[in-house]
């Protein structure tokens, strides 16, 4: 289903409204108070009110009233009487100074609104007899984005109960915007319109899955507007605009891509397409143009497997104090501690892992050059005097007080994960890599490990690290992973498990053509020539073996690059906070 609903009205009407900053940045962060650029507020409001001069409009977290101003102006343009406008606009906020400021701005503009100081989750929906607020034609605004760790248990329970009353069960990890969105929709008339700013994680995070399902069942039409550039300077979050209307279930969304808020106002929307939605899972691939998205879904479903069909990604050891528990051989010898007190590990970090494998020879080399190649893991009954001395040094440094040490007995014996067949680098600037582990060493939590299933052990270890360097897997990583601080792509074990990697039959066929050139490609990778290696793997795996046309392979490579550049570029905010 496709709708054409994005009708931004007029010019930038109140671009000069200054941002109101009544409290400190920290206090604002705690309230989730990052204010919407007027061009965005105006665009959402104009759409939500459409041509209805009698529209009742609610902003559930109105702050200094940027949406209410936009709504008042729109209603006035449509011919509403000033007295009626005041009765038709409702704004809620917990923060009195923000409401005062909203009142002042409205007055300056000869407008009025009903402003209520209240926690929105305590405002009954109009379905209740004792409700203070009537059914609404439009619900607009920018919900606070406060992570679950930052608000209290009671507030969280209230929010979850409000969402549950609308039929949405959220888990305890949900950030504040999620229940707020659901509760806000409880105020809409059946044909009403919801137009809100939402964090882009709406599309990607696990806890928002009930929201994604609910959007599909609750609304008849859902539109998403994505920005190519960050719109909120200090919120660090990428946003989407959620524009939904009607009651009923929709099986497709309309997606719009714009560069920034100004482009919204100029209505230079350059890309719209219908998308068939997955029943569950993430929707990050909606960010891609339709043809790339469809091609990716087809190839990854038909010719690729999930990584966990080879083996399950697992977390590495969390020691609680790597500086103490991960030792160089020099330190071990200084304390005269026997090797038996240790397990060999790949040293913390991933910088030493540039190639396709980590071998025993590389481990020995790191050992000689001062790498922290040992993990302290003594027999709990050890009587070693040398160990006692080392532990006393740790006690003097306060190591036993580290959280992880306080929850295990004895504190000085970190758990050790079984030696994995593959390493999986899960924090990546460019893309996650699989590395064959033939060193006999285990890992700390700077990497995940994968123990391969028996049937695919040899093929998986020999071939997968090279053959995973293809454009479909790289695009899959951008889609399945999450963008972390500094543009880093992060994949938790659950996300890594779903990474599309070539299925065993195609791996075997491609490996028979590439195995002789492994050493050369490994050397190229170590020199940093990864783009050349990916090109070569694409040529053999995707074109020769899978018989994908060259244009399709180029499209996948460009789609992966598009998402990678988007991810890394969005860490540098451009627009100013309004
Ligand atoms: C992201 S700001 C949006 C403000 C304004 N609508 C805008 O876009 O500029 C979120 C606002 O929500 C308010 N807020 C946070 N939690 C709230 C709650 N539970 N009920 C009502 N308002 C809340 C904050 O005080 C803040 O003003």
């Amino acid at each position: 289903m496709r709708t054409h609903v994005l009708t931004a009205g007029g010019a930038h009407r109140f671009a000069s409204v200054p941002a109101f900053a009544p409290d400190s940045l920290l206090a604002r962060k705690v309230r989730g108070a990052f204010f919407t650029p007027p061009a965005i507020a105006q665009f959402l409001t104009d759409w939500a009110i459409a041509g209805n001069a009698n529209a009742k409009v609610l902003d559930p977290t109105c702050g200094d009233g940027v949406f209410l101003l936009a709504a008042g102006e729109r209603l006035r343009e449509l011919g509403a009487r000033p007295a009626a406008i005041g009765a038709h606009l409702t704004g809620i906020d917990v923060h009195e100074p923000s409401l005062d400021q909203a009142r002042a701005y409205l007055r300056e503009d000869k407008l009025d609104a009903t402003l209520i100081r209240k926690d929105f989750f305590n405002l009954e929906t109009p379905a209740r007899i004792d409700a203070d607020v009537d059914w609404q034609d439009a619900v607009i605004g920018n919900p606070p984005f406060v992570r679950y760790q930052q608000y209290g248990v009671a507030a969280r329970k209230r929010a979850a109960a409000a969402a549950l009353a609308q039929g949405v069960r959220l888990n305890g990890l949900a950030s504040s915007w999620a229940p707020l969105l659901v509760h806000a929709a409880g105020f809409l008339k059946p044909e009403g319109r919801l137009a809100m700013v939402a964090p882009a994680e709406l599309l990607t995070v696990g806890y928002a899955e009930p929201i994604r399902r609910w959007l599909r069942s609750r609304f008849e039409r859902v539109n998403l507007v994505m920005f190519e550039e960050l719109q909120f300077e200090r919120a660090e979050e990428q946003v989407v605009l959620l524009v939904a209307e009607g009651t009923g279930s929709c099986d497709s969304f309309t997606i719009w891509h714009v560069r920034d808020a100004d482009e919204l106002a100029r209505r230079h929307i350059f890309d719209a397409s219908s998308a068939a939605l997955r029943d569950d899972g993430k929707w990050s691939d909606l960010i891609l143009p339709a043809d790339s998205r469809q091609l990716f879904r087809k190839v990854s479903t038909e010719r690729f497997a999930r990584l966990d069909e080879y083996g399950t990604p697992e977390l590495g050891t969390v020691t609680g104090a790597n500086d103490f528990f991960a030792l160089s051989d020099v330190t071990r010898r200084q304390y005269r501690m026997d090797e038996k007190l240790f397990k060999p590990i790949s040293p913390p970090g991933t910088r030493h892992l540039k190639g396709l494998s980590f071998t025993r020879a590389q481990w020995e080399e790191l050992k000689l050059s001062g790498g922290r190649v040992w993990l302290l893991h003594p027999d709990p009954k050890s009587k070693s005097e040398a160990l006692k001395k080392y532990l006393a040094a740790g006690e003097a440094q306060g190591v036993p007080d580290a959280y992880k040490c306080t929850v295990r007995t004895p504190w000085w014996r970190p758990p050790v994960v079984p030696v994995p067949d593959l390493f999986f680098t899960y924090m990546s600037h460019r893309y996650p890599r699989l590395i064959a582990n033939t060193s006999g060493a285990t890992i700390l939590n700077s990497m995940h490990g994968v123990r391969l299933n028996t049937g695919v052990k040899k093929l998986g270890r020999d071939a997968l690290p090279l053959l995973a360097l293809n454009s479909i897997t790289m695009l899959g990583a951008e889609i399945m992973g999450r963008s972390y601080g500094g543009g880093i792509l992060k994949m938790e074990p659950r996300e890594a498990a779903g990474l599309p990697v070539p299925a065993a039959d195609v791996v075997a066929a491609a490996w028979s053509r590439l195995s002789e050139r492994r050493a050369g490609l490994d050397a190229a990778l170590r020199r940093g020539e990864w783009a050349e290696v990916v090109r070569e793997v694409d040529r053999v795996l995707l074109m020769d073996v899978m018989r994908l046309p060259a244009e399709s392979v180029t499209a996948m490579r460009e789609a992966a690059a598009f998402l990678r550049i988007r991810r890394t570029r969005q860490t540098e905010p451009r627009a100013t906070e309004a």
Side-chain angles (χ1 to χ4, degrees):
M1 194 185 308
R2 181 185 279 215
T3 52
H4 296 278
V5 289
L6 301 185
T7 51
H12 217 125
R13 280 196 300 263
F14 50 95
S16 58
V17 172
F20 167 58
D23 49 8
S24 73
L25 191 62
L26 183 65
R28 292 175 72 191
K29 201 164 179 177
V30 168
R31 279 189 299 127
F34 284 94
F35 299 99
T36 310
I40 293 181
Q42 186 181 316
F43 168 80
L44 288 171
T45 306
D46 287 353
W47 175 81
I49 292 178
N52 181 3
N54 292 315
K56 289 197 168 155
V57 183
L58 168 71
D59 181 343
T61 55
C62 68
D64 60 357
V66 64
F67 282 88
L68 295 175
L69 272 168
E73 293 194 353
R74 180 73 179 153
L75 292 176
R76 188 158 54 197
E77 267 175 21
L78 291 169
R81 281 179 304 109
I85 294 177
H88 281 192
L89 293 183
T90 308
I92 318 286
D93 206 286
V94 281
H95 190 238
E96 188 68 45
S98 296
L99 291 175
D100 289 343
Q101 189 60 51
R103 211 168 277 120
Y105 281 150
L106 285 160
R107 206 174 303 129
E108 251 172 51
D109 211 2
K110 302 201 174 17
L111 288 165
D112 195 8
T114 308
L115 298 176
I116 305 174
R117 181 186 177 190
K118 197 164 188 145
D119 180 334
F120 177 58
F121 291 112
N122 288 334
L123 191 73
E124 301 291 358
T125 63
R128 295 281 295 260
I129 305 172
D130 49 348
D132 293 327
V133 174
D134 205 358
W135 294 104
Q136 304 290 311
D137 297 283
V139 171
I140 52 179
N142 178 0
F145 184 27
V146 185
R147 292 218 178 265
Y148 77 97
Q149 305 94 327
Q150 289 159 328
Y151 64 111
V153 176
R156 227 152 67 198
K157 277 198 178 147
R158 207 162 45 240
L164 194 58
Q166 300 301 314
V168 181
R169 186 180 294 279
L170 292 168
N171 71 26
L173 303 178
S175 300
S176 59
W177 63 269
L180 205 132
L181 199 63
V182 180
H183 186 50
F187 290 75
L188 274 179
K189 292 179 181 172
E191 69 284 8
R193 292 179 159 202
L194 180 85
M196 295 193 115
V197 178
E201 69 174 41
L202 159 67
L203 301 175
T204 54
V205 292
Y207 78 72
E209 187 152 340
I211 301 281
R212 297 193 282 270
R213 264 188 270 121
W214 166 75
L215 284 174
R216 291 180 63 177
S217 60
R218 165 64 181 79
F219 292 101
E220 191 183 349
R221 280 178 290 279
V222 176
N223 295 264
L224 295 170
V225 181
M226 321 256 184
F227 292 100
E228 289 199 327
E229 300 189 353
L230 265 191
Q231 298 303 302
F232 293 76
E233 188 180 357
R234 298 215 193 97
E236 291 149 15
E237 271 299 321
Q238 301 169 26
V239 300
V240 296
L241 305 187
L242 174 66
V243 169
E245 65 179 319
T247 304
S249 57
C250 56
D251 54 9
S252 70
F253 280 19
T254 305
I255 299 152
W256 307 84
H257 291 265
V258 295
R259 175 171 292 282
D260 54 23
D262 287 338
E263 186 167 334
L264 266 185
R266 292 197 309 273
R267 284 181 285 168
H268 284 184
I269 291 163
F270 61 81
D271 186 10
S273 61
S274 264
L277 300 173
R278 294 168 196 259
D279 284 339
D280 53 16
K282 299 188 173 194
W283 292 351
S284 323
D285 62 346
L286 294 186
I287 293 165
L288 291 176
D291 44 357
S292 303
R293 178 170 61 242
Q294 281 151 8
L295 181 63
F296 169 74
R297 284 191 186 178
K298 184 167 160 39
V299 178
S300 60
T301 325
E302 290 173 4
R303 311 301 299 274
F304 276 61
R306 291 166 51 98
L307 179 58
D308 62 1
E309 290 174 45
Y310 283 88
T312 310
E314 294 166 334
L315 292 168
T317 293
V318 181
T319 64
N322 278 355
D323 285 351
F324 178 76
F325 291 106
L327 281 72
S328 69
D329 204 52
V330 177
T331 310
R332 180 189 69 76
R333 279 187 282 117
Q334 262 172 4
Y335 279 84
R336 299 178 191 282
M337 290 188 283
D338 194 284
E339 286 187 6
K340 283 201 201 99
L341 298 168
F342 297 88
K343 294 278 183 207
I345 50 167
S346 170
T350 55
R351 295 178 67 160
H352 54 288
L353 300 168
K354 299 239 186 303
L356 294 169
S357 55
F358 183 60
T359 62
R360 188 74 194 181
Q362 279 167 271
W363 184 86
E364 293 288 353
E365 218 173 278
L366 286 166
K367 181 174 137 185
L368 291 176
S369 60
R372 291 192 279 145
V373 295
W374 294 116
L375 173 67
L376 187 66
H377 188 70
D379 182 324
K381 297 195 195 89
S382 170
K383 299 265 188 292
S384 156
E385 286 303 317
L387 174 66
K388 273 190 199 152
K389 261 198 203 146
Y390 189 66
L391 297 183
E395 273 160 16
Q397 291 161 32
V399 176
D401 299 331
Y403 172 71
K404 280 282 165 189
C405 300
T406 62
V407 294
R408 68 178 173 238
T409 316
W411 66 266
W412 38 265
R413 190 171 193 265
V416 170
V417 296
V419 175
D421 299 307
L422 298 173
F423 298 157
F424 182 96
T425 61
Y426 67 93
M427 297 276 270
S428 332
H429 210 66
R430 291 205 189 96
Y431 51 87
R433 284 182 309 124
L434 288 166
I435 294 142
N437 177 26
T438 55
S439 66
T442 185
I443 52 169
L444 301 179
N445 70 332
S446 33
M447 283 177 291
H448 300 329
V450 181
R451 261 181 302 150
L452 292 164
N453 302 333
T454 324
V456 287
K457 226 182 220 326
K458 179 158 170 46
L459 185 69
R461 197 153 62 179
D462 289 349
L464 216 46
L466 179 61
L467 290 168
L469 294 172
N470 69 77
S471 292
I472 302 273
T473 300
M474 286 166 101
L475 179 53
E478 295 290 342
I479 289 170
M480 313 291 300
R482 63 186 72 181
S483 172
Y484 204 61
I488 296 287
L489 181 69
K490 183 174 182 194
M491 297 189 86
E492 300 293 1
R494 202 163 65 92
E495 291 152 349
L499 184 72
V501 290
D505 58 335
V506 281
V507 166
W511 186 239
S512 69
R513 298 169 197 220
L514 278 173
S515 56
E516 282 182 2
R517 293 169 46 208
R518 183 197 176 282
L521 292 166
D522 184 43
L525 263 189
R526 288 173 198 271
R527 288 194 301 270
E529 294 163 12
W530 63 277
E532 288 77 1
V533 174
V534 171
R535 209 169 274 275
E536 192 49 21
V537 173
D538 277 355
R539 195 180 62 72
V540 174
L541 176 78
L542 303 182
M543 289 162 67
D544 294 355
V545 173
M546 293 191 190
R547 304 230 156 267
L548 285 185
E551 314 82 75
S552 302
V553 174
T554 306
M556 292 296 87
R557 193 176 304 139
E558 284 175 359
F562 169 72
L563 292 187
R564 184 171 56 249
I565 290 165
R566 187 177 193 277
R567 160 169 61 82
T568 47
R569 199 181 54 188
Q570 287 207 338
T571 59
E572 283 149 33
R574 201 196 66 119
T576 49
E577 194 180 355

